[in-house]
Amino acid sequence: MEKSYGQGDPHIAEYVTRLFAQDDVVLGEIRTRSQARGLPDIAVSPMDGRHLEVLARLGNVRRAVEIGTLGGYSGVCLLRGMADGVLHALELDPECADVARESFARAGFASRARVTVGPALTTLPSLVAEGPFDLVFVDADKVSYPEYVEWAADNLRVGGVVICDNAFLFGEVIREPADAPNEARAILAMRRCHELLALGGRFVATILPTGEGLAVGVKVR
Ligand code: SAH
Ligand code: DHB
Ligand code: MG
């Protein structure tokens, strides 16, 4: 999957990516090994990986949660931005979790990544005692995004940040749910997620206009 970046000109995207997200041996190996293990090609793009690293660094992040880890690509980006501390990586699929554990080990983060297998809504309660957190990255099943953002509102410190991938829902978020019966639940859930971020009173938030839409909210209360 070629995830886009920027204001639409592919030459600008290529130029910026070449400069800011140069070919990276560790991340490249994670993509190749994930593909070889049959994982879907849906990790964040190199530029979105860089956004995650920069945001983690900006937030002085030491305790983080990732919901939807796949093969560990975005998790390694987050850990690179974290000066120290632990990333709790939640993943439904044991095969993905296995690939992710290897990715974290190969990237030198074996001792700083804790992979938890199972549906996140079931496993998140076991993390509450480890919080409050500095950052929560949401990238799992889109229908549960509102619950994940509510969990983040309750388990981030004030000043902590929630980040949601795919905020544009692959272009579907503005479609009429009635015209898209298969995606209707996801459309309504993503809109609810946006409403929580924009109007819920707990966050100051925006959506960075990457190709996928990267929603970013800072917890204010
Ligand atoms: N963040 C990853 C990509 C995640 S893709 C990266 O950029 O590298 C979405 C992942 O969410 C998939 O691996 C899928 O198995 C996982 N997932 C789906 N539903 C989930 C759930 N209920 N709980 C936890 N993980 C889930
Ligand atoms: C899908 C999920 C993602 O998180 C993503 O970034 C791209 C695609 C998917 O489920 O198809
Ligand atoms: Mg995603």
Side-chain angles (χ1 to χ4, degrees):
M1 174 186 287
E2 199 55 57
K3 293 185 172 180
S4 61
Y5 169 79
Q7 42 54 281
D9 183 337
H11 299 103
I12 296 274
E14 194 216 335
Y15 163 79
V16 174
T17 302
R18 202 172 350 102
L19 198 55
F20 286 84
Q22 286 173 352
D23 284 344
D24 185 302
V25 174
V26 170
L27 293 178
E29 188 275 336
I30 292 173
R31 256 186 225 284
T32 312
R33 185 163 35 79
S34 297
Q35 204 163 19
R37 290 281 292 267
L39 271 49
D41 184 18
I42 57 175
V44 296
S45 68
M47 279 307 295
D48 283 333
R50 191 60 101 192
H51 296 321
L52 294 176
E53 179 179 350
V54 170
L55 290 167
R57 184 68 62 175
L58 188 64
N60 199 15
V61 172
R62 286 175 161 75
R63 295 180 194 196
V65 177
E66 174 175 76
I67 305 175
T69 292
L70 193 70
Y73 186 102
S74 56
V76 165
C77 297
L78 287 167
L79 279 157
R80 284 176 171 178
M82 296 165 60
D84 62 55
V86 171
L87 172 72
H88 295 273
L90 308 191
E91 174 50 50
L92 175 66
D93 182 294
E95 177 79 6
C96 294
D98 196 49
V99 174
R101 276 191 210 94
E102 184 166 349
S103 300
F104 294 135
R106 287 188 180 224
F109 295 123
S111 65
R112 295 177 49 206
R114 311 252 163 87
V115 180
T116 299
V117 181
L121 289 177
T122 305
T123 58
L124 278 169
S126 69
L127 288 189
V128 168
E130 311 281 333
F133 296 96
D134 305 307
L135 183 149
V136 174
F137 175 49
V138 178
D139 196 15
D141 52 318
K142 310 311 166 200
V143 292
S144 302
Y145 269 36
E147 283 103 318
Y148 299 148
V149 169
E150 277 172 347
W151 189 89
D154 291 339
N155 291 280
L156 285 168
R157 65 169 165 83
V158 169
V161 60
V162 64
I163 306 173
C164 304
D165 190 35
N166 312 110
F168 299 151
L169 198 62
F170 321 106
E172 303 271 299
V173 71
I174 52 167
R175 276 183 77 187
E176 256 337 300
D179 298 341
N182 293 333
E183 292 101 325
R185 283 182 64 226
I187 292 169
L188 294 172
M190 191 60 80
R191 289 185 191 170
R192 175 88 192 111
C193 164
H194 293 171
E195 282 155 17
L196 287 167
L197 289 171
L199 310 171
R202 312 279 312 265
F203 297 99
V204 170
T206 185
I207 300 180
L208 301 182
T210 62
E212 297 293 318
L214 197 64
V216 179
V218 179
K219 174 171 164 170
V220 291
R221 58 172 281 265

